[in-house]
Amino acid sequence: MPKHFKIISEKTNRQVMRSGRGIDQLKELKAQYGGKNWRKCKGEADIELSSGKIRRAELHWYEAHGVGERRLKFKKYLD
Amino acid sequence: MNSATQTRTRSGFVVCLTNEGYEFDLKPNTIYEIIPDDSLEPEDIRVIDESGEDYIYPNDYFVRVKMSRRNTARFMTVLARHVLTGVSLSELMRILKGKTRAKSKM
Protein backbone atom coordinates (compact mmCIF):
# COMPACT_ATOMS: atom_id res chain seq x y z
CA MET A 1 0.00 0.00 0.00
CA PRO A 2 1.42 3.39 -0.97
CA LYS A 3 2.61 5.49 1.96
CA HIS A 4 2.44 8.73 0.03
CA PHE A 5 -1.20 9.21 0.97
CA LYS A 6 -4.04 7.72 3.01
CA ILE A 7 -7.57 7.23 1.74
CA ILE A 8 -9.99 8.68 4.29
CA SER A 9 -13.33 8.32 2.52
CA GLU A 10 -15.22 5.74 0.51
CA LYS A 11 -14.32 5.57 -3.16
CA THR A 12 -17.07 7.08 -5.30
CA ASN A 13 -17.74 7.33 -9.05
CA ARG A 14 -16.09 3.97 -9.58
CA GLN A 15 -15.64 3.15 -13.27
CA VAL A 16 -13.99 0.36 -15.22
CA MET A 17 -11.41 1.85 -17.56
CA ARG A 18 -10.20 -1.33 -19.23
CA SER A 19 -10.68 -5.04 -18.77
CA GLY A 20 -9.09 -8.33 -19.74
CA ARG A 21 -6.77 -8.13 -22.73
CA GLY A 22 -7.23 -4.39 -22.86
CA ILE A 23 -4.92 -4.15 -19.83
CA ASP A 24 -1.23 -3.85 -20.76
CA GLN A 25 -0.06 -5.40 -17.49
CA LEU A 26 -2.51 -8.34 -17.61
CA LYS A 27 0.15 -11.03 -17.89
CA GLU A 28 2.14 -9.52 -15.02
CA LEU A 29 -0.96 -9.15 -12.82
CA LYS A 30 -2.00 -12.75 -13.37
CA ALA A 31 1.53 -14.00 -12.68
CA GLN A 32 1.77 -11.97 -9.49
CA TYR A 33 -1.71 -12.37 -8.02
CA GLY A 34 -3.65 -15.00 -10.00
CA GLY A 35 -7.31 -14.06 -10.14
CA LYS A 36 -9.79 -13.85 -12.97
CA ASN A 37 -11.51 -11.09 -14.89
CA TRP A 38 -8.96 -8.35 -14.24
CA ARG A 39 -10.16 -4.79 -14.60
CA LYS A 40 -8.41 -1.43 -14.44
CA CYS A 41 -10.62 0.91 -12.46
CA LYS A 42 -10.76 4.50 -11.38
CA GLY A 43 -12.63 6.35 -8.69
CA GLU A 44 -12.62 9.38 -6.44
CA ALA A 45 -11.84 9.67 -2.76
CA ASP A 46 -10.67 12.10 -0.11
CA ILE A 47 -7.03 11.50 0.71
CA GLU A 48 -4.76 12.69 3.49
CA LEU A 49 -1.27 13.58 2.32
CA SER A 50 1.91 13.07 4.34
CA SER A 51 1.74 16.79 5.17
CA GLY A 52 -1.67 16.26 6.80
CA LYS A 53 -3.48 18.16 4.06
CA ILE A 54 -6.75 16.63 2.83
CA ARG A 55 -7.67 16.79 -0.85
CA ARG A 56 -10.03 15.14 -3.30
CA ALA A 57 -8.25 12.84 -5.72
CA GLU A 58 -8.75 10.49 -8.65
CA LEU A 59 -7.27 7.08 -7.95
CA HIS A 60 -6.56 4.17 -10.29
CA TRP A 61 -6.21 0.51 -9.38
CA TYR A 62 -6.52 -3.02 -10.70
CA GLU A 63 -9.00 -5.55 -9.36
CA ALA A 64 -9.98 -9.14 -10.04
CA HIS A 65 -12.26 -11.84 -8.70
CA GLY A 66 -10.58 -13.66 -5.85
CA VAL A 67 -7.89 -11.01 -5.48
CA GLY A 68 -9.52 -7.71 -4.69
CA GLU A 69 -7.89 -4.34 -5.36
CA ARG A 70 -4.21 -4.06 -6.16
CA ARG A 71 -1.64 -1.41 -7.23
CA LEU A 72 -3.54 1.63 -6.09
CA LYS A 73 -2.08 4.79 -7.66
CA PHE A 74 -2.70 8.48 -7.46
CA LYS A 75 -3.70 10.03 -10.79
CA LYS A 76 -4.63 13.63 -10.07
CA TYR A 77 -6.25 16.12 -7.73
CA LEU A 78 -9.88 16.95 -8.37
CA ASP A 79 -10.35 20.01 -6.16
CA MET B 1 12.05 28.73 -6.53
CA ASN B 2 13.64 25.96 -4.49
CA SER B 3 15.05 22.78 -5.97
CA ALA B 4 12.05 20.67 -4.89
CA THR B 5 9.71 23.03 -6.76
CA GLN B 6 11.98 23.02 -9.81
CA THR B 7 12.04 19.22 -9.86
CA ARG B 8 8.27 18.90 -10.07
CA THR B 9 7.29 21.85 -12.24
CA ARG B 10 9.97 21.77 -14.95
CA SER B 11 10.14 19.06 -17.60
CA GLY B 12 13.12 16.77 -17.60
CA PHE B 13 14.15 13.50 -16.08
CA VAL B 14 14.64 12.08 -12.61
CA VAL B 15 16.31 9.00 -11.16
CA CYS B 16 14.25 6.83 -8.84
CA LEU B 17 15.99 6.33 -5.49
CA THR B 18 13.38 4.11 -3.82
CA ASN B 19 10.11 2.43 -4.83
CA GLU B 20 8.67 1.68 -1.39
CA GLY B 21 4.96 1.04 -1.77
CA TYR B 22 5.21 1.09 -5.56
CA GLU B 23 7.31 -2.01 -6.25
CA PHE B 24 5.67 -2.75 -9.61
CA ASP B 25 5.43 0.82 -10.87
CA LEU B 26 8.88 2.23 -10.19
CA LYS B 27 12.37 0.71 -10.28
CA PRO B 28 15.28 2.13 -8.25
CA ASN B 29 18.22 3.48 -10.30
CA THR B 30 15.90 3.99 -13.25
CA ILE B 31 15.24 7.22 -15.13
CA TYR B 32 11.73 8.54 -15.53
CA GLU B 33 10.33 11.50 -17.46
CA ILE B 34 8.79 14.34 -15.44
CA ILE B 35 5.40 15.66 -16.51
CA PRO B 36 5.15 19.28 -15.27
CA ASP B 37 2.03 19.89 -13.19
CA ASP B 38 1.40 23.13 -11.33
CA SER B 39 -1.51 21.61 -9.38
CA LEU B 40 0.77 19.39 -7.33
CA GLU B 41 1.60 19.76 -3.64
CA PRO B 42 5.26 20.38 -2.63
CA GLU B 43 5.70 16.72 -1.73
CA ASP B 44 4.47 15.47 -5.14
CA ILE B 45 5.98 14.80 -8.56
CA ARG B 46 4.32 13.50 -11.73
CA VAL B 47 6.28 10.99 -13.80
CA ILE B 48 5.58 8.45 -16.50
CA ASP B 49 5.97 5.17 -14.61
CA GLU B 50 6.54 1.55 -15.64
CA SER B 51 2.94 1.28 -16.87
CA GLY B 52 3.61 3.97 -19.48
CA GLU B 53 1.12 6.37 -17.92
CA ASP B 54 1.81 9.37 -15.71
CA TYR B 55 0.98 9.26 -12.03
CA ILE B 56 1.77 11.27 -8.90
CA TYR B 57 4.53 9.97 -6.64
CA PRO B 58 6.44 11.29 -3.61
CA ASN B 59 8.92 13.94 -4.69
CA ASP B 60 11.60 12.60 -2.34
CA TYR B 61 11.64 9.24 -4.13
CA PHE B 62 13.56 10.92 -6.95
CA VAL B 63 16.52 13.14 -7.77
CA ARG B 64 16.74 15.24 -10.92
CA VAL B 65 19.06 14.13 -13.73
CA LYS B 66 21.16 16.99 -15.03
CA MET B 67 21.99 16.60 -18.70
CA SER B 68 23.40 19.03 -21.22
CA ARG B 69 20.93 20.37 -23.80
CA ARG B 70 22.62 18.25 -26.45
CA ASN B 71 22.29 15.04 -24.45
CA THR B 72 18.72 15.89 -23.46
CA ALA B 73 17.83 16.34 -27.14
CA ARG B 74 19.53 13.05 -28.03
CA PHE B 75 17.73 11.24 -25.23
CA MET B 76 14.37 12.71 -26.26
CA THR B 77 15.01 11.59 -29.85
CA VAL B 78 15.58 8.05 -28.64
CA LEU B 79 12.42 8.18 -26.50
CA ALA B 80 10.41 9.39 -29.50
CA ARG B 81 11.76 6.60 -31.69
CA HIS B 82 11.02 3.85 -29.21
CA VAL B 83 8.25 3.50 -26.67
CA LEU B 84 10.18 3.57 -23.44
CA THR B 85 9.09 3.72 -19.89
CA GLY B 86 11.79 3.43 -17.27
CA VAL B 87 15.38 3.52 -18.47
CA SER B 88 18.21 2.32 -16.26
CA LEU B 89 21.21 4.56 -15.67
CA SER B 90 23.55 2.12 -17.40
CA GLU B 91 21.23 1.94 -20.42
CA LEU B 92 21.10 5.74 -20.54
CA MET B 93 24.90 5.94 -20.58
CA ARG B 94 25.08 3.43 -23.44
CA ILE B 95 22.45 5.38 -25.39
CA LEU B 96 24.25 8.70 -24.92
CA LYS B 97 27.56 7.19 -25.94
CA GLY B 98 25.89 5.77 -29.05
CA LYS B 99 26.93 2.25 -28.15
CA THR B 100 23.47 0.74 -28.34
CA ARG B 101 19.94 1.46 -29.45
CA ALA B 102 17.38 1.69 -26.68
CA LYS B 103 15.22 -1.39 -26.33
CA SER B 104 11.59 -0.97 -27.27
CA LYS B 105 9.09 -1.97 -24.62
CA MET B 106 6.22 -2.33 -27.14
Side-chain angles (χ1 to χ4, degrees):
Chain A
M1 176 61 76
K3 297 182 180 180
H4 179 199
F5 59 93
K6 192 166 56 176
I7 299 174
I8 59 172
S9 76
E10 291 286 324
K11 292 196 199 76
T12 60
N13 293 334
R14 297 169 67 110
Q15 298 175 40
V16 175
M17 299 169 67
R18 290 189 276 283
S19 60
R21 292 179 184 174
I23 298 173
D24 290 339
Q25 290 79 33
L26 181 62
K27 203 173 173 180
E28 184 186 302
L29 290 165
K30 282 185 171 179
Q32 181 68 31
Y33 306 109
K36 293 182 180 180
N37 300 326
W38 279 96
R39 297 177 293 276
K40 183 172 184 180
C41 303
K42 67 175 180 180
E44 299 174 19
D46 293 324
I47 61 169
E48 182 178 345
L49 304 174
S50 52
S51 62
K53 199 167 181 180
I54 295 172
R55 293 192 64 174
R56 190 77 179 163
E58 178 178 311
L59 304 170
H60 292 186
W61 66 91
Y62 297 96
E63 62 181 39
H65 291 311
V67 174
E69 296 179 0
R70 293 287 184 272
R71 302 197 190 178
L72 183 71
K73 294 196 288 190
F74 183 1
K75 184 64 179 177
K76 61 182 177 183
Y77 293 107
L78 295 172
D79 54 12
Chain B
M1 184 185 289
N2 61 31
S3 59
T5 305
Q6 287 178 336
T7 297
R8 65 186 168 84
T9 57
R10 282 172 41 213
S11 61
F13 300 93
V14 287
V15 174
C16 177
L17 303 176
T18 177
N19 63 353
E20 186 180 356
Y22 299 101
E23 287 76 14
F24 299 100
D25 303 301
L26 298 171
K27 293 180 187 173
N29 297 323
T30 300
I31 295 174
Y32 295 95
E33 183 178 0
I34 301 168
I35 301 297
D37 184 349
D38 291 337
S39 74
L40 300 184
E41 295 287 337
E43 61 259 50
D44 302 330
I45 188 169
R46 180 181 294 283
V47 300
I48 300 174
D49 67 12
E50 291 294 317
S51 71
E53 294 187 47
D54 57 288
Y55 286 94
I56 298 172
Y57 289 98
N59 197 11
D60 60 7
Y61 275 27
F62 303 90
V63 63
R64 180 175 276 274
V65 175
K66 290 185 180 179
M67 279 194 278
S68 66
R69 281 193 181 189
R70 179 167 173 265
N71 280 337
T72 298
R74 291 168 67 194
F75 191 50
M76 291 300 294
T77 300
V78 172
L79 283 180
R81 194 180 304 139
H82 302 274
V83 177
L84 291 177
T85 52
V87 177
S88 69
L89 280 174
S90 55
E91 200 171 341
L92 170 64
M93 293 311 297
R94 284 197 294 273
I95 292 168
L96 294 178
K97 288 178 182 176
K99 289 185 177 179
T100 187
R101 295 175 69 97
K103 294 177 185 175
S104 171
K105 292 199 177 184
M106 285 288 282

